[in-house]
Amino acid sequence: MEPFRLMRMGVIEIICGPMFSGKTEELIRRLRRAKIARQRVVVFKPSLDNRYDEIQIVSHSDQRIPSIPVEDPAMMEYCLTQLALPVEVIGIDEAQFFDSSLIPLVENWANSGIRVVAAGLDQDYLGQPFGPIPHLLAIADMVTKQYAVCVLCGAPATKSQRVWANHQKTPSGEKILVGAHDAYEARCRGCHVRGVDKAVVVASHENETTVV
Ligand code: ADP
Ligand code: MG
Ligand code: ZN
């Protein structure tokens, strides 16, 4: 038999969608199953995303899995060289925050037999394609586009609505951090407002903040 037929085939799986669409839940579900099958799994997340935990990936429904926070894709590659045994599955959360150097790495990993599962926002809050995700979608073997529930009308939501601007403060006086989850809402196309939805800020937090 030709040797390459004995090799395990790698694959690129992308899980995308807006905020709250269950991307992290789905990533965790797939990685847990791989661990049950005793596959060697490594999970990365961008170190800037420490909203819930420094070293775990945490979903909005509080599901958790240990991960390695990395500053850039090169650090992922370095981490892999430090492992005693070759990895079989690589998980990446919030992949939209990495630069385009992630793309050739993901492709090389898949070509060398690794299953790569990456989750990330396909669009930013303006509805624009986000970071390396559009390219990864194009080269993926398997794409899952998830939906959240539109908080205004209940329809399937494909967009992330920003409801607070960076310089604004919440009613309790906290400064909004980029990515803070109460700064965003899931919205359908019809309810999505490009940019910050000032109408909702005024309506729901009247007298408590200045809308500019
Ligand atoms: P993502 O990674 O896509 O932001 P998570 O996997 O972290 O999403 O969280 C998904 C969970 O978020 C859902 O199972 C649900 O409990 C919760 N959730 C909160 N708001 C919404 C919403 N508007 N639509 C759907 N799920 C929501
Ligand atoms: Mg997530
Ligand atoms: Zn809607």
Side-chain angles (χ1 to χ4, degrees):
M1 196 185 292
E2 297 154 46
F4 68 84
R5 294 219 181 275
L6 295 173
M7 279 172 57
R8 181 196 286 269
M9 283 304 294
V11 68
I12 302 173
E13 301 172 25
I14 305 296
I15 304 162
C16 70
M19 287 185 71
F20 306 105
S21 64
K23 300 182 298 297
T24 300
E25 279 177 354
E26 177 61 14
L27 178 69
I28 291 173
R29 188 185 75 83
R30 292 187 198 181
L31 298 176
R32 279 192 183 143
R33 289 169 65 91
K35 285 185 180 183
I36 290 168
R38 295 196 188 83
Q39 292 175 340
R40 288 183 296 276
V41 177
V42 172
V43 191
F44 296 110
K45 70 169 189 174
S47 49
L48 70 88
D49 180 34
N50 57 3
R51 284 173 287 175
Y52 306 104
D53 195 286
E54 292 291 339
I55 58 162
Q56 292 187 104
I57 284 174
V58 185
S59 76
H60 291 112
S61 49
D62 207 33
Q63 299 203 42
R64 291 160 183 267
I65 196 169
S67 69
I68 304 172
V70 290
E71 273 171 30
D72 51 34
M75 207 167 147
M76 295 182 200
E77 191 79 314
Y78 172 76
C79 289
L80 296 177
T81 64
Q82 301 304 301
L83 300 173
L85 288 168
V87 70
E88 290 164 292
V89 182
I90 298 175
I92 307 169
D93 201 14
E94 304 287 357
Q96 76 279 354
F97 287 139
F98 292 109
D99 67 18
S100 60
S101 65
L102 181 63
I103 297 161
L105 279 186
V106 165
E107 188 137 48
N108 288 343
W109 292 332
N111 289 346
S112 67
I114 296 171
R115 176 184 177 199
V116 186
V117 190
L121 292 164
D122 47 3
Q123 302 163 56
D124 63 16
Y125 74 102
L126 298 171
Q128 296 299 312
F130 206 154
I133 300 291
H135 197 122
L136 290 173
L137 287 171
I139 62 169
D141 301 282
M142 181 186 164
V143 169
T144 308
K145 181 145 175 162
Q146 310 218 132
Y147 307 98
V149 177
C150 175
V151 296
L152 295 192
C153 77
T158 53
K159 310 270 182 191
S160 305
Q161 178 68 54
R162 193 162 197 184
V163 289
W164 295 97
N166 258 350
H167 58 282
Q168 288 181 317
K169 294 187 173 178
T170 63
S172 53
E174 293 156 13
K175 194 170 186 310
I176 295 292
L177 301 171
V178 174
H181 83 282
D182 57 357
Y184 295 91
E185 286 178 354
R187 299 269 185 100
C188 71
R189 181 179 290 278
C191 295
H192 183 253
V193 177
R194 208 162 173 275
V196 179
D197 191 344
K198 296 174 182 174
V200 167
V201 173
V202 172
S204 59
H205 306 288
E206 228 176 351
N207 305 325
E208 295 186 86
T209 188
T210 312
V211 178
V212 292

